[in-house]
Amino acid sequence: MTSILILNGPNLNLLGTRQPEVYGATTLADIEKMCTAWADAANCTVTFLQSNHEGALVDAIHAARGVQDGIILNAGAYTHTSIALMDALASVELPAIELHLSNVHARETFRHKSYIAKVAVGLICGFGPRGYTLALDAMKSYVED
Ligand code: CA2
């Protein structure tokens, strides 16, 4: 059975509780439920984590090696700054999908740069919470092809 890690970075724990005009009203717990339901129907296993700490995200990526078949990463603002997350993804040799709720390319120019994209098999952004299940579908197809 395909096992997929969904990793969420800084501030995403606040989803649905602050700035709903920017990030919507859906909470991260709602998104986790959507992912779990999708995985049950698709006969997949999903592990869903969030951390505000770069090192904890690096640790979670390392721990995925040999356990997970792929990583879906919404690294939040670390997307645009973190060579450590890029190196961690490269080191575990697992397929990774970069994910964002918002269309980062339609936003400020500092959000156009991504260190994650350099080591990802693909990118999904701009579809809000639905992007999570789109990414699961993409990862399952990628791994099982
Ligand atoms: O669109 C995305 O998913 C982002 O990864 C979200 C990050 C942002 O820095 C990236 O450029 C794009 C920010 C997440 C902040 O989430 C909040 C949620 C509610 C209230 C405040 C922040």
Side-chain angles (χ1 to χ4, degrees):
M1 190 188 286
T2 297
S3 293
I4 300 169
L5 173 64
I6 302 178
L7 204 48
N8 296 283
N11 298 308
L12 288 162
N13 55 310
L14 300 178
L15 273 184
T17 66
R18 319 252 171 91
Q19 293 179 262
E21 68 286 359
V22 184
Y23 292 110
T26 306
T27 67
L28 198 61
D30 294 332
I31 292 175
E32 181 173 3
K33 278 187 208 137
M34 286 166 47
C35 290
T36 304
W38 187 95
D40 288 347
N43 208 28
C44 276
T45 301
V46 162
T47 304
F48 197 93
L49 298 174
Q50 187 275 333
S51 178
N52 293 321
H53 305 280
E54 189 175 19
L57 295 166
V58 169
D59 288 343
I61 292 167
H62 291 175
R65 187 174 195 167
V67 176
Q68 306 286 349
D69 297 302
I71 301 174
I72 295 167
L73 176 61
N74 183 349
Y78 287 147
T79 304
H80 319 299
T81 63
S82 181
I83 296 169
L85 287 177
M86 177 184 74
D87 286 347
L89 285 172
S91 76
V92 294
E93 296 175 330
L94 287 171
I97 292 176
E98 176 180 343
L99 173 65
H100 299 287
L101 294 156
S102 61
N103 179 357
V104 286
H105 297 288
R107 300 184 65 190
E108 304 94 325
T109 49
F110 63 81
R111 296 186 203 276
H112 300 176
K113 172 159 183 79
S114 170
Y115 285 98
I116 307 306
K118 296 181 190 307
V119 291
V121 294
L123 161 69
I124 293 173
C125 72
F127 294 99
R130 188 179 297 255
Y132 282 76
T133 51
L134 293 173
L136 280 169
D137 192 44
M139 182 60 82
K140 185 173 191 283
S141 303
Y142 184 89
V143 166
E144 294 177 5
D145 260 8

